[in-house]
């Protein structure tokens, strides 16, 4: 019996209008056998947390280019915790300055992937971190 595929929500929070990177990651995860739900552009923290809970996702990936990561990511984490989904593996990508990475990780973002990351590395990260 095959185990159920890992369910992943890929979200684009904030006012970003560019989602090519998120779509590339979503496709790579799907091609690796994961079940991927892409929320689309301009999602609020509330919409993202609701999608994770509604879809019973084990993983959340957020991609941000706008520079609002220090405001949006902590809010998403707070909402996930509030809704009992603080066991979801959360990773992020996009334009995130190196100086902001330690603070985001301390708040619960498990990994941050910068532009140019090989999608195989993201797949391997999720497979390694999500174990039944």
């Amino acid at each position: 019996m095959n185990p159920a595929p890992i369910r992943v929500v890929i979200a684009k929070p904030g006012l970003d209008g560019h989602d090519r990177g998120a779509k590339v990651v979503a496709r790579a995860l799907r091609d690796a056998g994961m079940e991927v739900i892409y929320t689309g552009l301009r999602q609020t923290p509330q919409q993202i947390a609701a999608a994770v809970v509604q879809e019973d996702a084990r993983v959340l990936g957020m991609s941000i280019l706008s520079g609002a990561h220090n405001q949006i990511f902590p809010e998403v984490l707070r909402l996930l915790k509030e809704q009992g989904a603080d066991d979801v593996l959360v990773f992020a990508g996009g334009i995130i300055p190196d100086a902001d990475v330690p603070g985001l990780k301390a708040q619960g973002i498990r990994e941050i992937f910068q532009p140019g990351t090989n999608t195989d590395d993201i797949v391997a990260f999720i497979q390694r971190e999500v174990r039944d």
Side-chain angles (χ1 to χ4, degrees):
M1 183 173 164
N2 289 336
I6 299 169
R7 291 176 65 89
V8 182
V9 168
I10 298 293
K12 285 292 297 178
L15 299 177
D16 287 351
H18 177 31
D19 63 352
R20 182 177 300 164
K23 288 180 177 177
V24 167
V25 169
R27 184 171 295 118
L29 299 180
R30 183 203 63 206
D31 290 349
M34 298 180 202
E35 187 174 340
V36 179
I37 299 97
Y38 174 59
T39 64
L41 291 167
R42 298 180 183 90
Q43 297 294 294
T44 66
Q46 293 80 6
Q47 289 170 316
I48 294 167
V52 170
V53 171
Q54 179 180 359
E55 297 292 344
D56 195 27
R58 303 217 26 218
V59 180
L60 168 62
M62 294 184 284
S63 170
I64 196 161
L65 304 173
S66 68
H69 50 275
N70 285 326
Q71 293 75 37
I72 292 175
F73 291 172
E75 180 64 5
V76 171
L77 293 170
R78 184 189 72 74
L79 290 165
L80 288 173
K81 184 174 184 175
E82 185 178 278
Q83 295 178 41
D86 52 338
D87 59 340
V88 171
L89 173 70
V90 180
F91 71 94
I95 307 299
I96 299 170
D98 291 340
D100 294 344
V101 170
L104 291 170
K105 284 186 173 184
Q107 294 178 58
I109 304 291
R110 187 76 58 84
E111 190 59 80
I112 295 176
F113 297 100
Q114 301 289 3
T117 297
N118 187 312
T119 55
D120 290 342
D121 294 338
I122 301 170
V123 169
F125 163 76
I126 293 171
Q127 291 173 334
R128 181 177 64 249
E129 295 293 321
V130 177
R131 299 178 190 213
D132 290 330

